[in-house]
Structure formats: C-alpha cells, structure tokens
Amino acid sequence: MVRFAGLVCIAFTGVFVACSAKHDETQVPAQSAPPPYAMPAVLGVDALEDQDPDPNIVEVSIVASRTRAEFKAGSPTTVWAYNGTLPGPLLKAKVGDDVVVHFKNDLAEPTTIHWHGLRISDQMDGSPRIQNPVKPGEEFTYRFRVPDAGSYWYHPHVKTDVQVEKGLYGPLVVFDPKDPVYDGERFLVIDDIRLESSGSISPLNGMDYTMGGRFGNTLLTNGRPANEAKAAVEQGTVERWRIVNPANARTMVLGVEGASFRIIATDGGLLPEPYTTSRVTVAVGQRYDLEVTYDQPGQAKLINYVLSQDSAGKVKEVPVPSFVVDVAGSARAPRAIAWPKVKQPDRPADTNATMTLNLQQDADGNPVWTINGKAMAMDPLFTWAQGSTVLLTIVNKIKTEHPFHLHGQFFEILDDASQPGLKDVVLVPSGGTVKFRAYMDNPGRWMAHCHILEHAEIGMMGEIVVSPTPGAPGPDNAPHG
Ligand code: C2O
Ligand code: CU
C-alpha cells in the first residue's frame, strides 16, 4: 500500500512541476536558468517518445503485438514486436529519472516486460513469479526509478524461448550528465534468428533444449539482415557504440576492423579504466560499449566472427560484417575524450556460495537443466542480507557453455583480468568454473538463470532472496514523490 501511495504521487508531482514551470516563465528571466541536460541522440534505433514534460519523468507507451517483417525479399515473416518495430524502440532516461511505461499486451498469450540489468524494485522486474503476467488485451503500468547509468535492454519473462525469438526485445539507455561526450552514439542490437526458406521463423526443436540452445541461421543488426547495416562518417569522428546480444543462445565474438576501438563500459556502466582488445566476447544478455575512433579513411566494419561447420563437419571461423561505415578522408583530429571518475563498489566478500549447473532427468525421464540439483526451483536457492558481498562459484558439469544471469544486482568476475567491470551476465565455460563477487545490494526476490532461453525454460532457473537491511548499501531506486 505504501508503495502504491508513492506511485500515485509521481503522477501528481508530474502535473505539479509542469504547472509551476509554466508559472515561473512569467516571473523569472529566462537567462537565469542553466540549460537543462539534453540526452544525446542514439543512432541506429528509433526512440520512444516521452509523453511527460517533466524533465525528471520519462513516460512512454509500449504495445506488444504480431506484425510482419521481411528479412528475405518476397518472403514475409510474422514476428512479435514492441510498437511494431524490430528491435523494439529505445527507452531513454537519465540517471535518477522516474520511468512510467504504459504497457499493453495485444498478443494472443500472456507476457511481461523485464528490464534486464536495471537495479529496480522486484515488483517491477517483470518476473512472473512476482507479477501476474499481463493477459491478452490487458494493460499494466511499470513504474521505476533508474539508479545506474549504462546500456540495458528489455524483453518478456514468459515463455522467453518463443517470445524473444519472435522479436520481443528492445534497447534501453540510462544516461548520466557526466558521461563522456562523443561525436555520435549508436545502439547495435546484434541478434540471430532461424528462418525457413519460406521466410517463417523455424519452430524450436528438441535438440534446441537439450544441446546448446537455439542457434539461428540469419544474423540481424538492429532488426535487419546484418549486411544492410551501414553508415557514413568523416575521418576523425569518435563514436560510442552500445552493443547488446539478445539472441536465444549464440555467444557473439566481435571486433572492429578499419578503425581503432576500446571497451569503455560493461553491463554495469562505464569502466573506471577503458581497455583495448582485438575481440570482445558478448554472451547472451551482455552489453559492451565500444569507443570507436575512425582514424583512417576507407571502411570501418564491425565483424562478427561466427563459428560454422562445413559439410565435412569441420568447424571454421567466418568473419561476417555486421555494420559497415564508409569513412571519408579528412584531416580532422579526433576529439579528446575526458574520462570521468567512475566509482564502483569494491568490498571484500563476506559469504561464499556455490551453484552447480547440470543436465539431469526428471521423474518421467525427461531431460531437465538444473541449478544445485533443482529444476525451476521455487524455494530460494539462497537468502542473503542486503549489503552482503557474496563470493559465488558457478560450477558447470556439462560440456555446454551457460551465460548465467542474476537479476537486480551487479557482480565482478574474479581471477580473469580480461573481463573487468560490473556485470549481470557471466559466461560459464563448457565444463568449467567461474568465480565472481556479487554485491547483493538490491533487496527483493530475484531470478537467477541461464540466459540460453531454452535452458531457462526447462529448468535452469532459480531465485535468490536479498532481505532488506536498514542502513545497508542499496541502489537509489525508490520512486520520487
Ligand atoms: Cu534478460 Cu531473466 O533475463
Ligand atoms: Cu544454459
């Protein structure tokens, strides 16, 4: 009830602030106000329109429905999409904003929206364990305050293997007025889809569930075949590329040719120290932000290094250009990027825990993926007090990699200097182990699962509980008002 009362106030505050701003115009000279922060444009995707004039409230409408796309000329594909576009439209906010999303489900089955990576209240996280899924024809309003700047995405959390594959996913950016300023920002949503020759999306099959998940045969960049993604810039331009991998199962290995780049942000936002690398492995659900400096004329290309099997069964690497930029020669010098001070939690672990991933059989002999021996566990795997720092070891008993995702918290991978920064997804290698330090700062009930959606849907899904603790560290995510 208390939470609900607070939410009603937001709407009221919105009206109130809008009115008082108008009133002020007649009394205060315009030049006395500093210019408000303007969020940068993001190229490559359409943005949702903010319906609330209050600069601290973002109010948008999202409808999920069936629509048509055409990936192969003359062979239309039925997709499920947010606001009729693939990917769904970009949700933009700045850190500390209250976000109001009026969601309508025009699909023929129930769904929710999960705001992947945002440390918001569990009541608004789209988990069907907490929120009754939105039925066909019904509406639900998501209200939350965004506590952390970074690149995120949103997708359903009901029958995810089918609903995400059909096209329900969209990008989300939380800006910080202290973010470094670039000549341009882009979002690149790098997906794969499995299409029949008729153009329709292939149904999932048994192997997709018991092996490494559903791999596609067509790479998409921002909802179009990868070879269509193009742009043109002038030499000397410096851009921020925000990349997400929303595929059902495919780990993407990416690099940039014909321009220099460094990694500036991970799932949890800007890195204290950017780093250079020739390739970046983007597990399902992860985000990486690249700072790309077009330092030579010609073509700069984002390459997806795809592993593919030839007819003899030999695995080889195929470099697939997934975004091509024509760079016009120029003597212009790249702008100097001033790196802000980035604070990240850095606390020693006070608790240890282990999660073991396995493929087992249920009572009827059907294969199920498990965490600590349980498929689709309904009781919490662990309960920790808010503010705990958990040294979590994930042991993978199976020769299949698993991108393990924890809702509502960030963590830091240990013993691997090549993966710095805060994450909410970690790739657990085939038959291997990873260790990370998780900052359990956001109270609530949180899903913990493999982000290979076929694995999650047949059991590799559990929940952890973070119990509220007065005075403990926590994200600033209580709605205003
Ligand atoms: Cu990307 Cu449980 O979610
Ligand atoms: Cu898995």
Side-chain angles (χ1 to χ4, degrees):
M1 281 326 279
V2 171
R3 170 173 286 117
F4 190 68
L7 294 175
V8 172
C9 282
I10 300 172
F12 179 72
T13 311
V15 172
F16 178 73
V17 171
C19 294
S20 68
K22 207 171 192 182
H23 181 69
D24 283 353
E25 271 168 33
T26 58
Q27 304 190 351
V28 183
Q31 63 267 28
S32 70
Y37 171 70
M39 293 186 274
V42 178
L43 302 167
V45 286
D46 296 332
L48 285 160
E49 191 196 331
D50 180 2
Q51 300 150 9
D52 193 312
D54 187 311
N56 302 316
I57 299 176
V58 173
E59 185 169 0
V60 297
S61 298
I62 297 181
V63 180
S65 67
R66 260 167 78 116
T67 181
R68 281 186 156 201
E70 198 173 271
F71 303 113
K72 298 182 184 191
S75 310
T77 306
T78 299
V79 297
W80 298 358
Y82 292 122
N83 292 5
T85 69
L86 212 72
L90 172 69
L91 175 51
K92 295 169 74 167
K94 66 178 187 314
V95 75
D97 279 354
D98 284 322
V99 177
V100 181
V101 180
H102 302 287
F103 174 58
K104 171 131 200 280
N105 179 10
D106 273 344
L107 300 168
E109 63 181 51
T111 191
T112 61
I113 304 184
H114 166 54
W115 313 95
H116 181 125
L118 294 181
R119 297 193 304 160
I120 55 178
S121 153
D122 62 353
Q123 303 301 307
M124 294 289 145
D125 192 49
S127 163
R129 291 163 176 245
I130 292 179
Q131 174 193 0
N132 287 322
V134 185
K135 295 202 190 84
E138 293 191 351
E139 297 181 23
F140 182 82
T141 299
Y142 290 93
R143 295 173 192 270
F144 49 83
R145 184 173 177 190
V146 287
D148 308 294
S151 304
Y152 304 95
W153 63 301
Y154 58 96
H155 62 78
H157 228 299
V158 174
K159 282 176 62 186
T160 54
D161 49 348
V162 172
Q163 295 194 357
V164 176
E165 168 66 355
K166 295 263 192 201
L168 292 172
Y169 56 79
L172 192 159
V173 176
V174 180
F175 296 97
D176 187 324
K178 297 193 287 289
D179 282 340
V181 176
Y182 289 98
D183 297 316
E185 295 209 12
R186 309 181 174 274
F187 220 117
L188 293 164
V189 181
I190 308 291
D191 189 17
D192 75 346
I193 190 170
R194 193 163 72 206
L195 295 174
E196 302 288 303
S197 50
S198 65
S200 62
I201 295 174
S202 307
L204 295 159
N205 64 46
M207 292 248 285
D208 296 330
Y209 290 91
T210 53
M211 310 285 282
R214 195 285 296 142
F215 277 71
N217 56 11
T218 306
L219 290 171
L220 302 180
T221 299
N222 290 342
R224 296 299 308 153
N227 61 354
E228 291 181 18
K230 292 195 165 70
V233 302
E234 185 180 277
Q235 185 181 350
T237 301
V238 187
E239 290 186 342
R240 178 173 183 168
W241 294 2
R242 300 170 181 267
I243 294 176
V244 62
N245 173 1
N248 280 40
R250 183 187 292 277
T251 299
M252 310 282 182
V253 179
L254 307 175
V256 180
E257 296 180 357
S260 65
F261 76 102
R262 58 178 188 160
I263 309 295
I264 57 166
T266 56
D267 301 342
L270 290 181
L271 289 163
E273 282 181 59
Y275 65 95
T276 55
T277 178
S278 55
R279 292 185 179 191
V280 58
T281 299
V282 188
V284 175
Q286 283 185 326
R287 287 84 63 210
Y288 277 94
D289 292 12
L290 277 52
E291 177 188 287
V292 178
T293 303
Y294 299 97
D295 51 2
Q296 48 196 282
Q299 279 193 328
K301 296 179 182 171
L302 175 71
I303 305 288
N304 194 337
Y305 301 94
V306 177
L307 292 181
S308 113
Q309 231 171 10
D310 64 17
S311 48
K314 225 175 122 224
V315 176
K316 56 177 182 7
E317 184 185 276
V318 182
V320 181
S322 293
F323 177 49
V324 176
V325 183
D326 286 322
V327 185
S330 158
R332 170 177 161 188
R335 67 160 72 214
I337 304 296
W339 205 250
K341 265 214 159 42
V342 177
K343 343 185 245 328
Q344 291 191 336
D346 181 22
R347 307 194 304 253
D350 48 40
T351 317
N352 295 317
T354 300
M355 292 192 197
T356 302
L357 311 181
N358 209 344
L359 180 61
Q360 295 178 270
Q361 285 186 345
D362 67 12
D364 302 323
N366 299 312
V368 287
W369 294 98
T370 58
I371 304 178
N372 287 358
K374 293 187 199 118
M376 247 10 147
M378 292 309 286
D379 295 336
L381 293 161
F382 295 98
T383 298
W384 290 295
Q386 180 185 354
S388 305
T389 307
V390 181
L391 171 63
L392 201 49
T393 305
I394 313 263
V395 181
N396 180 5
K397 294 283 199 194
I398 294 292
K399 292 257 177 302
T400 300
E401 59 184 18
H402 300 282
F404 178 86
H405 173 45
L406 182 58
H407 285 211
Q409 325 290 334
F410 289 130
F411 52 78
E412 234 178 319
I413 299 171
L414 302 177
D415 310 327
D416 183 355
S418 74
Q419 298 190 71
L422 296 175
K423 314 264 185 186
D424 53 57
V425 176
V426 58
L427 193 60
V428 191
S430 156
T433 294
V434 294
K435 280 186 194 298
F436 56 82
R437 189 159 58 180
Y439 299 104
M440 300 296 180
D441 293 348
N442 195 15
R445 288 169 48 199
W446 302 103
M447 292 175 125
H449 64 91
C450 177
H451 221 294
I452 291 180
L453 301 173
E454 292 73 32
H455 294 178
E457 291 294 331
I458 67 158
M460 200 170 267
M461 160 72 69
E463 192 172 88
I464 60 127
V465 172
V466 177
S467 50
T469 307
D476 186 8
N477 64 8
H480 295 146

